[in-house]
Amino acid sequence: MMTQQQIYAGLTQVMCDVFDTDDITLTPATTARDVAGWDSQAHILLIVAAEQHFGVRFGTADFESMRNVGEFAALIDAKLKN
């Protein structure tokens, strides 16, 4: 089982890879508006990269109501527990 700190560290690594930067600081309140280049195409790349990194699978419904990184981290945590 991963801790919240490990999930955020993994998400930070994934986002740095997807957005080709090493200057991303995530908080639970971080949204797409806070990250340069986070558009709909980058969102799909981010989801795929997170699936690969964490070894989980997401469904379309998983993202319909997601508003921020905190909710993304909670989703990853829930998937890891299943």
Side-chain angles (χ1 to χ4, degrees):
M1 183 179 320
M2 294 184 108
T3 65
Q4 284 292 102
Q5 185 177 2
Q6 290 169 319
I7 291 171
Y8 275 90
L11 269 177
T12 300
Q13 179 183 347
V14 166
M15 292 184 90
C16 285
D17 290 346
V18 168
F19 298 110
D20 195 27
T21 183
D22 57 2
D23 190 30
I24 293 178
T25 302
L26 298 180
T27 70
T30 301
T31 67
R33 293 179 187 178
D34 300 321
V35 180
W38 191 344
D39 57 16
S40 58
Q41 182 178 354
H43 191 75
I44 293 168
L45 294 173
L46 179 59
I47 291 167
V48 171
E51 285 180 332
Q52 292 172 346
H53 181 87
F54 292 102
V56 297
R57 299 296 279 163
F58 301 115
T60 306
D62 291 330
F63 293 96
E64 289 177 354
S65 63
M66 189 173 304
R67 295 181 306 269
N68 56 43
V69 170
E71 292 178 7
F72 193 17
L75 175 63
I76 291 168
D77 187 45
K79 295 283 184 180
L80 289 171
K81 289 178 180 174
N82 287 342

